[in-house]
């Protein structure tokens, strides 16, 4: 029974990792490197598991792509100049098309991404 559990956990982790990589590849080209580094940060610094990282990357990609697209530049440059009002505007607009669970997930991803961005300057 113990070995069957390990196989399931490994498969799930590999599946989550593959999903996360696919989501990063769907992000705007100029944001992919930042999202990969963010995923590594979530794993190494925050000690999150692959499934949680996949969910956070999915939400963070939407946030990052929106902010960078609005600013017309890479996310690194866009987040240096982002305002609280822009963050709030994104979240309100996102909330109009998504349910409470998606909003909670986005809020967690945004909070983590902003912490990450703060550590990177």
């Amino acid at each position: 029974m113990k070995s069957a559990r390990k196989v399931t956990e490994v498969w799930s982790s590999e599946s989550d990792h593959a999903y996360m990589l696919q989501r990063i590849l769907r992000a705007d080209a100029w944001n992919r490197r930042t999202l990969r580094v963010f995923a590594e940060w979530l794993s190494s610094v925050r000690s999150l598991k692959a499934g949680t990282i996949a969910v956070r990357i999915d939400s963070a990609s939407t946030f990052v792509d929106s902010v960078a697209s609005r600013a017309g530049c890479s996310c690194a440059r866009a987040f240096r100049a982002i305002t609280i009002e822009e963050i709030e505007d994104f979240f309100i607009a996102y909330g109009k098309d998504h349910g409470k669970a998606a909003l909670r997930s986005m809020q967690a991803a945004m909070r983590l991404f902003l912490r990450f961005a703060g550590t990177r300057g």
Side-chain angles (χ1 to χ4, degrees), residues 8-83:
T8 303
E9 289 172 357
V10 169
W11 179 85
S12 176
S13 180
E14 288 175 5
S15 175
D16 292 333
H17 186 73
Y19 174 79
M20 178 197 66
L21 292 175
Q22 285 300 315
R23 183 58 183 98
I24 289 171
L25 288 174
R26 286 195 326 261
D28 290 341
W30 56 12
N31 299 329
R32 291 179 193 152
R33 182 181 184 291
T34 300
L35 289 168
R36 278 193 296 272
V37 175
F38 177 52
E40 291 169 12
W41 181 83
L42 290 173
S43 176
S44 63
V45 175
R46 302 297 292 197
S47 301
L48 298 181
K49 300 293 183 198
T52 304
I53 293 170
V55 171
R56 296 300 171 248
I57 289 295
D58 188 40
S59 295
S61 295
T62 302
F63 176 51
V64 166
D65 283 350
S66 176
V67 169
S69 176
R70 234 177 177 179
C73 58
S74 70
C75 68
R77 186 172 289 161
F79 277 90
R80 283 188 193 107
I82 196 166
T83 65

